[in-house]
Amino acid sequence: MNTPTINCQLSFHGAAANSCPHSLLWVRAPIPSSAATAPSTEETVIYASSGVVNLATPSALRTSPSAGDDDVENRGPTLSTVTHTLVTRTLDHGAAPSVDAAGNPIAAKRVLARGEAVEDAAASRSITALSWVEDDRCRNFGIVAAFSDGTLTSWRYRDGTSREKYGWEEHVLIGHDPLCDSECHSVLGDVSKTCLEESIADISAISLNAHLPTETNPDGEHDSSWLVASASSQGVILHISHVRFNEQNKGRDKPENARAATSQVFSKRVNPHAASSVQMKPVGKRDSSIHHGVEECYLFAGSASPRHNKVWVYSIPYGTADPSATDDDITSSTSPTWATLPLFTIREPIHHGFLLGHQDWITCFAWLPDFRNPNTHNENDSVGVEEAILASSGHDAKIRLWKFTSKIGVASSEVEGTAVDETIGLESNVDDEDDGGDIEDNDEDEANIDDLEEEEGEARLTIRHAASSGFSTTAISLEALLLGHEEAVTSLNWREKGMGNKKRDKPCLLSSSMDRTILIWMEEENSADDDDGIGGGGGGVWVPISRVGSAGGILGGSIGSSIMGFVDARFSPDHANRIVGHGYGGSLHFWTQDCSSQEEEKKDDDMMEEDALVSARWVANPCVTGHFRSVEDLAWDPEGEYLLTTSSDQTTRLWSEVSCVVNGKKVCRWMEVGRPQVHGYDMTSIACIGRKSNHAQSDDPTAEKEPQHRFVSGADEKVLRVFDAPASTLRLLHTLKKLRDPATPTSSSATPAEWRVERAFLPSLGLSNKATVEIDVRESNKFAGPTIPDEDLGDAIDPRAEVSMEDLKLPMERDLGATMLWPETRKLFGHDSEVVCLDSYLASSGSDAPLVASSCKAKNDVASAAIRLWNVKLGKCVGILKGGHRSTVSTLSFSRDGKYLASSGKDRRICIWKKSDHLSGEYNDSCEYQLTTAMDSAHKRIVWSVHFCPGKPNILVSGSRDGFVKLWRIVEGDDGSLDMLEMLKFEPLCKGNKKSEPVTAVSFADFISRSDDGIEYGLLSIGTECGRVEVWKVPISENDPNFDAKLVFSVPANECHFDSVKKIAWRPVGCNGDEVLSPTILTFATCGEDCGVRIFMLQVSRKV
C-alpha cells in the first residue's frame, strides 16, 4: 500500500494582541534555513496573543493582476501577517516523558508556576511582556516571554534544526517544564517561591556572549548565556540563563538530539520594592577585540509607588576568563561573586542610587547609545567623552531624558585604585543600605523635586566604572523634560541611527500614550551646535514634530472600532520609515512614511531632518486584527471564497485571501476584510446558507433558493439572526478575487443586485444591524468618526476593466467595526434558552431551500433538548425533533445529500435522523426528519463533535471527551430502517503519558483517495483539548478487511493551539458537490479557546 507524502504548514494565525505594554517587538529576526548556510533575517513584528508568541512578516500587496511578480512599481501597501508562532510547552502539550531514567512510568506533570491545574488556568494565562535578545556577531537571537502566573520562558534560535521547531528551541527559566525530570533552577539570595509566582510587568534581557570567540570548544559544545531582569509587585529579580548546546548533534535529521545538553538558571532579587518597568543595556566597550576582563551592564528599574517615583540605577559587573590572567587579576577590585558559569563570573549588582522626578508609576524606558555625533570625537586623544540618553516616562504623562556623559580612558590613579567605587549623588553619597527606599511624602520634598528639574545639566549621579570597561566615570544629568501627552505614556522607542544620511542621523524618539496618539519627538536645531557640526545633544528644545493615531479616538463606537489608546509603538528596524502602534483593543496599526516621488525624495535629502519629518505624510496600512476571546465556531463560504468566525468577544469576522508579493514571488495572505456582526451577547455558533447557482436568478431575493452570501448566527440568547452581504462587501471580495486570479469571470458579486443595501450600521444601544439610509449614515458617522467612503470600497470599479488595488482601500480596524457590517434581514424565534450549535444543509441542485438545524441549552428534560429545523427563506420553524436526547445537544451534522442528520451531546447518545421525503424529490415545507436509529453510550464521556464524510454520506465520525475517535457506518435495511455499525476506534497520538486526551473536534476533508487494490480512504482532521491537531488517513470502503487508521501528519506544537480546539472545517474544493479524487492542495481552518484562528495548507504529492 502506498503512503501519501503530505506536507502541512501554517498559512495564517489570527488573534488579537494582548493589551499589555512591553508585549510588542519589531526586529530583524532570523528565518529558517538549511544547516549549510547562515540564517537570513528579515523585519519581523513579534507580539503576544494570549499565551502565543506571533511572528508576523511583511509582504507587498499586488496592485494589478497583470503585473509580474518582479514588478516593483505595481506593489502596493505592506501587509503583515502571522505565518510562524511559538507556543510554550509549560502548558504541557502531551510531550512530557512517560517513563523516568530507570524506565518506570511517571505521572503527568500538568501544573503551572502557581500549582494550578492546566485545564483551569489555561484560558486566563497570558503573556505580559516580551524581550528580544540579539548578538549579531555570534548569530545569537532569542525571545524571552513573561506570563501572568510568573512563568518565565525563552526561545533561542539555532539554525539547522528540524522544521517542526522552525529553528527555535524553548528553554524554561521559571515555571514547570514537562521535559525536565528534575529542577535545574538554583535560587540564590532572598528569592522566595512567592516572588516567582507573581505576574510580571516587564522584562529585559541581554546576551553575555558579545565578546566571546565564536568558535566552539573541541567537544563541539557552544555556550549561550543571557542576563534577564523582571519587574513585578515583588520587586526587581535578576536571572541568569545558561545553556550549553552540543553542536555535533545538531542537524535536521536529529531534532531530538539537537536539544541543549545542560541548562542552568540562577535568580536573585535585586530590589524588594514594587517595580513596573526594567531596562538593561551593556556599558559600551571601546576595544571589542578584547575577550577577557571585567565588563558591565546597566540595570534601570522604575518604581510603582503612589507618589515620588524613582529610577533605580544599577550596574552588573561580569568577567570572562583570560588563560594568561591570574584569579587576582580577574576578581580584584570588584563586587563579590554572585554566580559562576563555565565562561563567565557574574558579580553582585551594584546599586548607584536613583533619579527623582516622576510623580507616578514609571512604566517605560528607552536607551540611545552614541547620543553625540561620532565625528565630534578626537580619536587621537586618550581621554574623550561619549554621551548616551535614557528616556523614561510613565503615568504622569511626562517624558524625561537623562544624559549619560562617560569619560573615555582611565586615569593612572584610577588604574591603581578601585575600579568600581561608591556612587556620588547630587549632594552626598547614596547610602548602600537605602536600596531605593521611599522618601518622605510631603510638600517640601515635592518642591525640592521641582527645583531639581530646573537644574538641567548638573549631575544627579556619578558612576565610576571598571578599568577594563573603557570608561572612567559617567555623570547622569537631566537633559530635557518633554510635555505633549495628556494621558499615561505606555512606551518609548528611539529610531535606529546610522541610516547612511548624516543629516538624518539626529536622535528621534517615538512615544505612545493612552490619549490615543503616537508622537514623534526631535530636538530643534541649535544654530551654535550646527556651526560646530554637532548632530544632537546641543541643548535645543525637544518638540513633537509629527503625530499618528487618532487625536480624539472613536468615542461611542462599536466593539473593535473604538480605539482606547495605544499601549506600545515601534519604529521599523531598518529605515525607520514605518511605525507600528499596538492598540489597547488588541489590533496592530501600521503607518508608512510616504515618499510620493523621486524628486520630492531627492529634495528631502537637502532639507533639515525636522522639516523632512514634519512634511512627511504617514499613510495607514492594513492592520493586524483578531478575536480577543475564545473563538467558538467557524464556517466556510460554500464556494470557499472566505471564512467566517464567531467568538465570545461578541463579533463575527470575515477572513479572505489577499494577493501579495514576497521575495519576488506571488503569494496569498489572509486578513480580516469584514466584520459582519457586532453583537451584545457572546457568540456561540454560525452556519452559512445560500449557494452559487448556474441559474440566472441565483441572486434574486424572490427566488425559491436562498441568495448567495448569507449566514445564520447564534449567541447566548434565544434568537437566531440571519445576515445578508451588502453590496460594498461583495465588490470588495470580487476585486480581491480578481487580483488573485485575473481569469475570474464577472459575477453577480461584481455588480450586486439592486435589492442589496450598500452597507449597514449599528444604532446606539442596539443589537440589530440596520440597512443604511441617509439619516442613519449621519448617525453612523457621528459615532464612528471618519471612515472609508463607500465609493472607495470598490463602488467605482468597472468589473469588465482592469482591476487595480489603487481603486479600493482595504478596511482598517476602525472601518471594520463601522462600515463593514452586514444588515440583519431576519430573526428566528422559538428556543427557550441560549443557542448552543448550528449546522446547515445546502442543496447542490434542485429546488430545495437551505435547511438549518439548531439546539439550545437543555434543562434536563426531553422538551428543552429538542432540535429545531428552520426554513430561513420562509422565516419559520419547519420541524421540532424530540425524543432523541435528554440533555444538551452539543453537536449537529447534516450529510451532504441532506438525507441524514446526526446529533449528540452530554447524554453520550448519537442519534441519526432520516429525512422522510428524501426519496420523493419534492420539496416539503414540513421537512420532517424522523429518529431512525440511535446508539446509546456511544462513548463513555460527552460527545463533542460529529461529522459526515462528504464523499460517503453513510460514514460518520465522532470525537469524545473519553479520548477516542470512532468511525461509524450507517446501514439501511430493505424496510427503510437504519443501523449504526462501529467500523473503527482509535486514540490521537498526542496524549503522551496521559490516560486519554479529550477529542473536541473532528472533520472529514472533501477528499477520497484509492489504493492500488481499490480501497478508499478519507482524510480526517482531529482537534484535542490540549490544542493539538492531527491528520489521519481512515478507511471508508466496505471491502477493507483491516480497518486501520494511520497518522499522516501531526501539526507541530508551535503551530497548534495551546488551549482546547473548538472547531475544524475544511475549505470546499468542489463547486457543485462533485467528488474530487486527488486535489493537490487542501486547506483547513481551526479555532480554539486561545482566541486564535489558524489556517493550514495541506499538500498531497501523490495518490494513496
Side-chain angles (χ1 to χ4, degrees), residues 484-604:
H485 287 291
E486 298 178 357
E487 298 290 342
V489 176
T490 54
S491 71
L492 298 170
N493 181 236
W494 290 102
R495 183 183 61 173
E496 291 288 341
K497 299 183 68 176
M499 298 301 172
N501 190 338
K502 294 180 180 180
K503 289 184 177 294
R504 293 175 176 266
D505 213 18
K506 292 187 60 177
C508 185
L509 180 65
L510 186 72
S511 63
S512 65
S513 171
M514 292 303 293
D515 63 5
R516 307 176 184 89
T517 62
I518 297 175
L519 299 181
I520 302 176
W521 302 81
M522 184 170 286
E523 188 179 16
E524 286 186 337
E525 193 69 24
N526 188 298
S527 59
D529 292 337
D530 189 34
D531 296 337
D532 296 337
I534 298 177
V541 179
W542 286 78
V543 295
I545 60 174
S546 186
R547 178 174 61 188
V548 296
S550 180
I554 306 176
L555 302 179
S558 58
I559 295 177
S561 68
S562 179
I563 300 177
M564 301 179 65
F566 292 97
V567 298
D568 216 330
R570 289 288 185 272
F571 276 119
S572 57
D574 281 349
H575 304 291
N577 61 344
R578 298 187 68 205
I579 294 174
V580 58
H582 179 185
Y584 182 80
S587 58
L588 301 183
H589 304 254
F590 292 87
W591 294 270
T592 300
Q593 188 175 359
D594 183 22
C595 296
S596 56
S597 65
Q598 293 183 357
E599 294 182 359
E600 293 183 2
E601 188 174 357
K602 183 178 180 180
K603 181 180 178 181
D604 255 358

Side-chain angles (χ1 to χ4, degrees), residues 821-844:
L821 297 171
W822 289 21
E824 181 181 319
T825 60
R826 193 179 298 276
K827 296 182 179 67
L828 304 177
F829 299 93
H831 283 295
D832 297 330
S833 57
E834 296 85 351
V835 177
V836 173
C837 65
L838 293 172
D839 195 37
S840 62
Y841 159 63
L842 306 178
S844 58

Side-chain angles (χ1 to χ4, degrees), residues 419-710:
V420 179
D421 204 349
E422 291 181 346
T423 301
I424 302 176
L426 179 60
E427 298 179 353
S428 61
N429 293 342
V430 177
D431 188 359
D432 292 337
E433 297 179 357
D434 179 57
D435 287 334
D438 294 334
I439 63 175
E440 268 187 55
D441 186 8
N442 54 53
D443 296 336
E444 182 179 356
D445 290 330
E446 187 172 356
N448 292 336
I449 293 174
D450 294 336
D451 292 339
L452 292 178
E453 293 178 0
E454 296 176 358
E455 299 172 0
E456 297 183 8
E458 185 175 356
R460 298 292 185 89
L461 291 175
T462 302
I463 302 174
R464 293 192 177 97
H465 298 280
S468 58
S469 68
F471 299 113
S472 58
T473 60
T474 295
I476 306 175
S477 60
L478 180 64
E479 169 71 8
L481 179 65
L482 281 56
L483 303 176
H485 287 291
E486 298 178 357
E487 298 290 342
V489 176
T490 54
S491 71
L492 298 170
N493 181 236
W494 290 102
R495 183 183 61 173
E496 291 288 341
K497 299 183 68 176
M499 298 301 172
N501 190 338
K502 294 180 180 180
K503 289 184 177 294
R504 293 175 176 266
D505 213 18
K506 292 187 60 177
C508 185
L509 180 65
L510 186 72
S511 63
S512 65
S513 171
M514 292 303 293
D515 63 5
R516 307 176 184 89
T517 62
I518 297 175
L519 299 181
I520 302 176
W521 302 81
M522 184 170 286
E523 188 179 16
E524 286 186 337
E525 193 69 24
N526 188 298
S527 59
D529 292 337
D530 189 34
D531 296 337
D532 296 337
I534 298 177
V541 179
W542 286 78
V543 295
I545 60 174
S546 186
R547 178 174 61 188
V548 296
S550 180
I554 306 176
L555 302 179
S558 58
I559 295 177
S561 68
S562 179
I563 300 177
M564 301 179 65
F566 292 97
V567 298
D568 216 330
R570 289 288 185 272
F571 276 119
S572 57
D574 281 349
H575 304 291
N577 61 344
R578 298 187 68 205
I579 294 174
V580 58
H582 179 185
Y584 182 80
S587 58
L588 301 183
H589 304 254
F590 292 87
W591 294 270
T592 300
Q593 188 175 359
D594 183 22
C595 296
S596 56
S597 65
Q598 293 183 357
E599 294 182 359
E600 293 183 2
E601 188 174 357
K602 183 178 180 180
K603 181 180 178 181
D604 255 358
D605 292 338
D606 299 329
M607 298 171 62
M608 298 308 297
E609 178 67 357
E610 300 97 321
D611 299 333
L613 286 178
V614 168
S615 61
R617 178 171 174 261
W618 293 91
V619 180
N621 294 152
C623 303
V624 174
T625 61
H627 293 285
F628 53 87
R629 289 183 184 171
S630 173
V631 185
E632 299 296 326
D633 200 3
L634 56 82
W636 287 97
D637 167 60
E639 308 305 319
E641 188 174 351
Y642 53 83
L643 175 69
L644 291 171
T645 59
T646 191
S647 165
S648 57
D649 66 2
Q650 303 180 358
T651 65
T652 298
R653 307 186 185 225
L654 186 149
W655 312 84
S656 179
E657 287 181 297
V658 179
S659 181
C660 301
V661 177
V662 178
N663 297 326
K665 297 181 180 180
K666 177 184 175 182
V667 296
C668 288
R669 299 298 193 202
W670 290 87
M671 69 168 292
E672 183 184 356
V673 298
R675 197 164 297 171
Q677 184 181 10
V678 177
H679 203 31
Y681 292 95
D682 292 355
M683 307 301 300
T684 58
S685 51
I686 191 172
C688 287
I689 57 176
R691 167 170 282 173
K692 182 179 179 181
S693 175
N694 295 327
H695 300 291
Q697 297 180 344
S698 61
D699 202 29
D700 186 356
T702 62
E704 190 170 349
K705 294 197 62 165
E706 195 74 32
Q708 194 182 1
H709 305 296
R710 286 189 174 182

Side-chain angles (χ1 to χ4, degrees), residues 1023-1035:
T1024 63
E1025 191 177 55
C1026 69
R1028 296 299 295 268
V1029 178
E1030 297 177 349
V1031 180
W1032 289 71
K1033 180 188 69 175
V1034 295

